[in-house]
Amino acid sequence: MLSNKVKYALKAMLHLAREHGKGPVLIADLAEKEGIPKKFLELILLELRNHGLLQSKKGKGGGYSLSMNPDLITMGQIIRLIEGPLAPLPCVSQTRYERCSDCVDEAACGLRMIMKEVRDATARILDGANLKDLLERVERTHAAPEVAMFHI
Amino acid sequence: MLSNKVKYALKAMLHLAREHGKGPVLIADLAEKEGIPKKFLELILLELRNHGLLQSKKGKGGGYSLSMNPDLITMGQIIRLIEGPLAPLPCVSQTRYERCSDCVDEAACGLRMIMKEVRDATARILDGANLKDLLERVERTHAAPEVAMFHI
DNA sequence: GCATACTCTAGTAAATTGATAGAGAAATAG
DNA sequence: CTATTTCTCTATCAATTTACTAGAGTATGC
């Protein structure tokens, strides 16, 4: 299970992607619209900013915005940044590999084999999902019923 | 990331699957061979037993063994039993669905869409991996290099 | 120079994790 | 029948993580 923190981070990034190009968004607005505790969100946005995904502006007319186009930021990136590896076990992580202290023979570990599959499948999905594509997908899914109505 | 507890549980189950049909295995032996703290393993095996995956016998000649054939027990089952849902978010869990309190429109949630994909991919792998198949896979992988030698 | 808005360091209560301890109960050998 | 073996079960505990909250600080712009 993902933590609330990373869930909030993903929701915030998706929100900022939706507002991309329309100027900075206030933390307070973002917090209210997405139902995220404001002070907690501050910490999260700061972290995302300090890792280069966001840019901020102080004072009147300030706020947060993406520091690059939404198609350049993936779900995988955000999760790794806030929570760490996608892998279910450290011994199958690509980004932060760590050997299990209790492992006798890694190559012969059935657990490792199956968890490697899980990590690869997860990474394929999350590293393949950028903010722009995901927003478009949401719109398509949302628009679909209305479009269908026209044909009735 | 999976907890040590569920990692130990999976290792123990795999070990017991390997010994299936050869009589019960002592907790102490299992703990030593798999590098798991004995007292902790006791709790884990008890839990697996109380959920019906294992059977136990007390006294001399006693120990733990699978309560059914290894091909009837999957990785997914064990993980759900010890840790809970496979899903990254409660709102995409099949077994323990729970709505996000901060969610405005579930159907229009991009996060949910992508996490549903992750949960489905994960479940496909883990519910499709039973102990017997996994053991056979380990053996094949392990045997492969030796077989290759014969052809040189 | 004052209001606005982000920045940053601390702190903290509650939950979870990863164990350990020890008394108890059942099975078996002799 | 009793000593030994082995699982059973409840309790406890320290360390870590999670999910926040507080508040002082700093930059920006009108």
Side-chain angles (χ1 to χ4, degrees), chain A residues 1-8 10 75 79-80 83-86 122 126, chain B residues 1 85-90 92 111 114-115 118:
Chain A
M1 285 279 178
L2 295 174
S3 63
N4 272 353
K5 187 178 179 186
V6 79
K7 187 181 78 176
Y8 293 158
L10 293 166
M75 295 279 130
I79 296 174
R80 285 202 191 83
E83 279 229 318
L86 303 181
T122 304
L126 295 176
Chain B
M1 283 279 176
L86 303 180
L89 292 175
V92 295
L111 196 46
I114 207 77
M115 290 308 163
V118 172

Side-chain angles (χ1 to χ4, degrees), chain B residues 36-49:
Chain B
I36 304 172
K38 192 194 157 204
K39 278 307 227 175
F40 197 16
L41 182 59
E42 279 182 18
L43 295 183
I44 295 165
L45 294 179
L46 197 59
E47 203 170 333
L48 292 167
R49 186 204 104 113

Side-chain angles (χ1 to χ4, degrees), chain B residues 142-152:
Chain B
H142 228 215
E146 291 188 81
V147 172
M149 293 286 278
F150 280 61
H151 294 283
I152 293 171

Side-chain angles (χ1 to χ4, degrees), chain A residues 6-119:
Chain A
V6 79
K7 187 181 78 176
Y8 293 158
L10 293 166
K11 283 179 72 173
M13 290 299 284
L14 224 36
H15 186 111
L16 291 173
R18 216 177 299 121
E19 302 294 316
H20 188 62
K22 302 178 194 165
V25 176
L26 294 180
I27 297 180
D29 283 2
L30 218 176
E32 203 207 343
K33 284 185 187 145
E34 298 290 349
I36 304 172
K38 193 195 156 204
K39 278 306 229 175
F40 197 18
L41 182 59
E42 279 183 17
L43 295 183
I44 295 165
L45 295 179
L46 197 59
E47 203 170 332
L48 292 167
R49 185 204 105 113
N50 289 341
H51 280 90
L53 294 189
L54 296 180
Q55 60 191 184
S56 61
K57 220 185 139 195
K58 286 176 176 175
K60 185 134 200 178
Y64 273 99
S65 50
L66 299 186
S67 66
M68 58 188 92
N69 283 329
D71 59 334
L72 296 177
I73 302 174
T74 69
M75 295 279 130
Q77 255 176 85
I78 300 167
I79 296 174
R80 285 202 191 83
L81 217 140
I82 299 287
E83 279 229 318
L86 303 181
L89 293 176
C91 66
V92 295
S93 170
Q94 293 280 303
T95 54
R96 286 204 216 165
Y97 167 84
E98 215 172 303
R99 193 188 163 84
C100 290
S101 63
D102 54 310
C103 188
V104 185
D105 180 2
E106 215 172 60
C109 179
L111 196 47
R112 188 166 189 267
M113 282 180 195
I114 207 76
M115 291 308 164
K116 180 88 171 71
E117 268 188 65
V118 172
R119 118 79 236 185

Side-chain angles (χ1 to χ4, degrees), chain B residues 27 42 46 49 56 58-59 63-64:
Chain B
I27 297 180
E42 279 182 18
L46 197 59
R49 186 204 104 113
S56 60
K58 286 175 177 177
Y64 273 100

Side-chain angles (χ1 to χ4, degrees), chain B residues 125-143:
Chain B
I125 295 167
L126 295 176
D127 289 333
N130 68 55
L131 295 174
K132 185 176 165 236
D133 289 349
L134 195 46
L135 282 185
E136 279 169 9
R137 215 170 120 187
V138 169
E139 266 170 55
R140 269 203 309 282
T141 313
H142 228 215

Side-chain angles (χ1 to χ4, degrees), chain B residues 14-77:
Chain B
L14 225 35
H15 186 111
L16 290 173
R18 215 177 301 122
E19 303 294 315
H20 188 62
K22 303 179 197 166
V25 176
L26 294 180
I27 297 180
D29 282 1
L30 186 43
E32 203 207 343
K33 282 184 189 147
E34 297 290 349
I36 304 172
K38 192 194 157 204
K39 278 307 227 175
F40 197 16
L41 182 59
E42 279 182 18
L43 295 183
I44 295 165
L45 294 179
L46 197 59
E47 203 170 333
L48 292 167
R49 186 204 104 113
N50 289 341
H51 279 89
L53 294 189
L54 296 180
Q55 59 191 185
S56 60
K57 220 186 140 197
K58 286 175 177 177
K60 186 134 200 175
Y64 273 100
S65 50
L66 299 186
S67 66
M68 57 189 91
N69 282 329
D71 58 334
L72 295 177
I73 302 173
T74 68
M75 295 278 128
Q77 256 177 85

